[in-house]
Amino acid sequence: MAGPKSMSAHLRALDMYRKVPHDLTESSVIGGALSMFAYFLLSLLFIWELRSFLSVSYRTSIEVDHSEDGIFQVNFNLTIPGLSCEFAAVDLQNVIGKRRTDLKDRTVHKFSLDGTWQGLATGKQPNDEPHLYEGTNKDHYGNQRHAIELTIDNFQQGIDEYEVLLVDFHAPWCSHCQHLAPIFEHAAELVKEKAPKEIDNHHRHSAALATVDCTVKKNIPLCKANHIQAYPTLLVFRQSKNKNIEKYGMEIHEAYSGRREAEPISEFTIKVWQEVIAGDKELQIGAGTDSTGDGKADSVVRTRGCRLDGFLMAQRVPGKIIIHPRSQSHTFNTSLISTDHQIHHLSFGNRKASEIRQLLDSNKIDGAYAEPLGKPVILAEGEDQIGFVSPGGYTHEHYIKVVSTTLKPLRSKPVHAYEYTINSNAFESETGVPQIIISFDLSPLKVVVVEESKPWIEGIVSMCAILGGVFSASIIFEGVLSSAILTVAKKLD
């Protein structure tokens, strides 16, 4: 049986790390210089490889979208300076024949340009009931004139002579105006009977009703200055409040929105006059006058323009959101309606695509995110805003290609969002009423971005290979260099 010494001898015979005794080695200046360089290079490569091992890379792929959700969320925030909130409405339709003009979603809100909430943009609008035009003998009042007929020549004089003047801006061809005309004359007669003739030394009259024909050429600038977008529009001119609000570049007045009957119109006019005499408060946008005491205002103070903010739930099929003027009790003056607008935010889904983009911006991404292909338009947090302007009466359509994007982080749940590209065009409306159309089409493919890191074994093997290779190469290089120098020195001797 082999003893310990025999075993030790066998192990020594297998040693592949045999060493030369230290007394037999010789150091050199060249070896020292190369060793310093090798130490530096090894340290640099070690740090470089360690950073590469600890970093996260991204792999991008394109897959068929098998999302099981039947609907997805469309978020938007846009301002339309040329369309009053009174008439702004939102519809939703898709290619499989579903059009929702009576949206019940309480998720899209209307705001005036100063930020005052004006109501919902979906569903039935308040004060937009079909009017019955009852309570007046239309044959009797059809040929009578009790209301003051104003033109651009005497308009300012008219509102200066009255504490309160309710003005009907109308067009003779408008069916609603034709129904209202005899009722308005009847109401004007009632106001004459109820309102005092003189109240002070400055204003000769207390209250009256007046009309302006917006189809008369010289009156067109007058109607435009008062932003008459639909007929009939009944504006209240209070002597104490007829001042210009510079922020919007136009005068802000109350618009009567109550019942179109003689008694309610006359009672409203007298009520407003009483408020003026009593020292009415500063007009507040969105407020109005309740002449019947039922808690419902019969008028509202409005501004030009409207901001729509909210979201809609749409089916995952190509569809469109249509923003347009709508009213059951008015005929639109399309020449004074503009759908020029500015998009402050537009996104799809519950999570903003910008959140994924922020995670990827600091990295070079291949595939669907490669820079040569261009980044999709991201309108989020008001950072990027797009304005769209065209001649009056034009319809704006935005065609949006939506791509589902999934980011799969290493140590958290997958993040799902939507990115998109947008193309826009403006054209004359076929119906004559300008609109804003946001058409969207979901791609059947989705982008999947996966975070990846090197496995531990791969990192260790790679580091050993690099460091070992550099060390071996430095030994070989030192041997070759030392031999060359020794050979040259011998020849010189």
Side-chain angles (χ1 to χ4, degrees):
M1 184 174 180
K5 291 186 177 180
S6 177
M7 180 66 68
S8 175
H10 284 298
L11 289 176
R12 287 176 179 273
L14 296 174
D15 184 9
M16 62 179 183
Y17 303 105
R18 301 189 182 195
K19 301 175 179 62
V20 177
H22 189 269
D23 295 339
L24 299 179
T25 60
E26 182 182 4
S27 61
S28 64
V29 174
I30 295 176
L34 286 177
S35 295
M36 290 181 62
F37 177 75
Y39 292 148
F40 172 76
L41 185 59
L42 286 171
S43 300
L44 182 64
L45 290 176
F46 176 79
I47 294 173
W48 196 336
E49 183 62 19
L50 183 62
R51 289 186 59 185
S52 175
F53 172 70
L54 296 176
S55 65
V56 176
S57 62
Y58 294 90
R59 175 174 55 83
T60 304
S61 61
I62 305 296
E63 301 177 2
V64 176
D65 190 356
H66 293 292
S67 300
E68 297 180 358
D69 296 336
I71 59 176
F72 74 117
Q73 187 170 304
V74 184
N75 315 287
F76 55 91
N77 182 333
L78 66 151
T79 298
I80 315 172
L83 178 62
S84 172
C85 282
E86 178 184 5
F87 305 120
V90 178
D91 294 342
L92 178 65
Q93 70 178 55
N94 58 37
V95 296
I96 58 177
K98 188 172 183 179
R99 174 157 186 169
R100 300 170 64 193
T101 58
D102 56 344
L103 289 168
K104 303 301 182 185
D105 310 55
R106 301 180 62 85
T107 54
V108 182
H109 300 267
K110 298 191 287 188
F111 298 88
S112 60
L113 297 188
D114 74 328
T116 304
W117 187 73
Q118 296 288 309
L120 297 171
T122 53
K124 198 172 186 179
Q125 300 297 304
N127 299 320
D128 190 28
E129 299 284 348
H131 292 279
L132 301 177
Y133 302 99
E134 295 178 340
T136 293
N137 186 334
K138 298 180 181 179
D139 293 333
H140 176 73
Y141 287 97
N143 298 316
Q144 294 190 18
R145 292 292 299 177
H146 295 281
I148 305 169
E149 186 173 358
L150 297 178
T151 67
I152 195 171
D153 299 324
N154 64 352
F155 183 78
Q156 189 60 47
Q157 178 185 352
I159 62 174
D160 288 343
E161 290 182 354
Y162 289 86
E163 288 289 351
V164 174
L165 198 63
L166 181 63
V167 182
D168 173 19
F169 292 86
H170 67 98
W173 48 261
C174 164
S175 60
H176 297 290
C177 301
Q178 293 169 4
H179 290 304
L180 178 63
I183 293 173
F184 198 76
E185 296 297 336
H186 184 189
E189 182 183 47
L190 295 177
V191 170
K192 281 183 180 180
E193 296 173 356
K194 298 176 182 179
K197 297 297 183 292
E198 293 187 13
I199 55 175
D200 57 32
N201 296 327
H202 178 63
H203 302 116
R204 292 181 296 172
H205 303 287
S206 55
L209 273 59
T211 63
V212 174
D213 185 350
C214 289
T215 62
V216 176
K217 187 175 182 180
K218 67 177 182 179
N219 290 340
I220 293 177
L222 176 62
C223 297
K224 187 174 183 180
N226 286 279
H227 197 55
I228 306 302
Q229 296 184 331
Y231 306 125
T233 295
L234 277 61
L235 294 185
V236 180
F237 291 85
R238 300 181 183 223
Q239 184 60 227
S240 58
K241 304 299 177 187
N242 290 338
K243 62 180 181 180
N244 183 268
I245 298 180
E246 295 181 358
K247 184 176 180 180
Y248 305 111
M250 62 175 296
E251 292 184 353
I252 307 301
H253 299 295
E254 293 176 83
Y256 176 77
S257 55
R259 293 160 53 195
R260 293 181 183 174
E261 298 175 11
E263 283 291 342
I265 292 175
S266 62
E267 290 174 1
F268 168 79
T269 306
I270 297 301
K271 177 66 175 178
V272 172
W273 170 74
Q274 291 172 347
E275 290 180 353
V276 172
I277 296 302
D280 53 350
K281 300 178 181 179
E282 183 71 23
L283 292 179
Q284 298 294 324
I285 296 174
T289 298
D290 178 12
S291 60
T292 59
D294 60 358
K296 181 179 179 182
D298 297 303
S299 66
V300 63
V301 179
R302 301 190 184 278
T303 67
R304 177 175 180 172
C306 190
R307 178 168 64 88
L308 299 175
D309 187 6
F311 66 89
L312 292 174
M313 304 305 294
Q315 290 182 290
R316 290 180 58 86
V317 296
K320 59 182 65 177
I321 295 173
I322 303 173
I323 301 170
H324 62 108
R326 180 171 65 202
S327 175
Q328 298 184 70
S329 54
H330 294 83
T331 302
F332 289 109
N333 179 8
T334 56
S335 64
L336 293 184
I337 294 179
S338 172
T339 54
D340 293 350
H341 60 284
Q342 186 175 43
I343 298 178
H344 307 294
H345 176 82
L346 180 61
S347 64
F348 299 83
N350 298 325
R351 183 183 289 269
K352 298 174 183 176
S354 59
E355 295 180 19
I356 288 184
R357 178 61 62 188
Q358 290 170 2
L359 296 174
L360 303 178
D361 271 343
S362 59
N363 300 278
K364 287 292 183 180
I365 307 300
D366 296 325
Y369 283 90
E371 292 292 335
L373 297 180
K375 292 183 179 179
V377 178
I378 302 298
L379 304 175
E381 296 104 25
E383 294 177 0
D384 300 309
Q385 301 187 14
I386 300 181
F388 299 93
V389 181
S390 68
Y394 271 51
T395 288
H396 294 267
E397 181 165 8
H398 308 295
Y399 178 77
I400 301 172
K401 194 68 176 181
V402 184
V403 180
S404 177
T405 304
T406 300
L407 174 64
K408 296 182 177 180
L410 280 171
R411 299 174 183 86
S412 59
K413 294 181 179 180
V415 178
H416 304 284
Y418 293 90
E419 291 200 299
Y420 62 86
T421 56
I422 181 171
N423 292 282
S424 304
N425 186 34
F427 53 89
E428 291 189 52
S429 174
E430 296 179 357
T431 62
V433 179
Q435 301 175 337
I436 299 173
I437 302 174
I438 302 175
S439 300
F440 52 88
D441 184 9
L442 275 79
S443 172
L445 304 176
K446 69 176 180 179
V447 177
V448 180
V449 183
V450 181
E451 285 187 349
E452 296 180 336
S453 63
K454 288 184 178 180
W456 281 95
I457 185 64
E458 182 180 335
I460 294 173
V461 171
S462 176
M463 190 173 296
C464 291
I466 293 176
L467 298 180
V470 170
F471 180 74
S472 300
S474 68
I475 293 175
I476 295 172
F477 181 74
E478 189 277 337
V480 172
L481 184 61
S482 297
S483 298
I485 292 176
L486 182 61
T487 301
V488 172
K490 285 182 180 181
K491 287 184 178 182
L492 290 176
D493 291 340

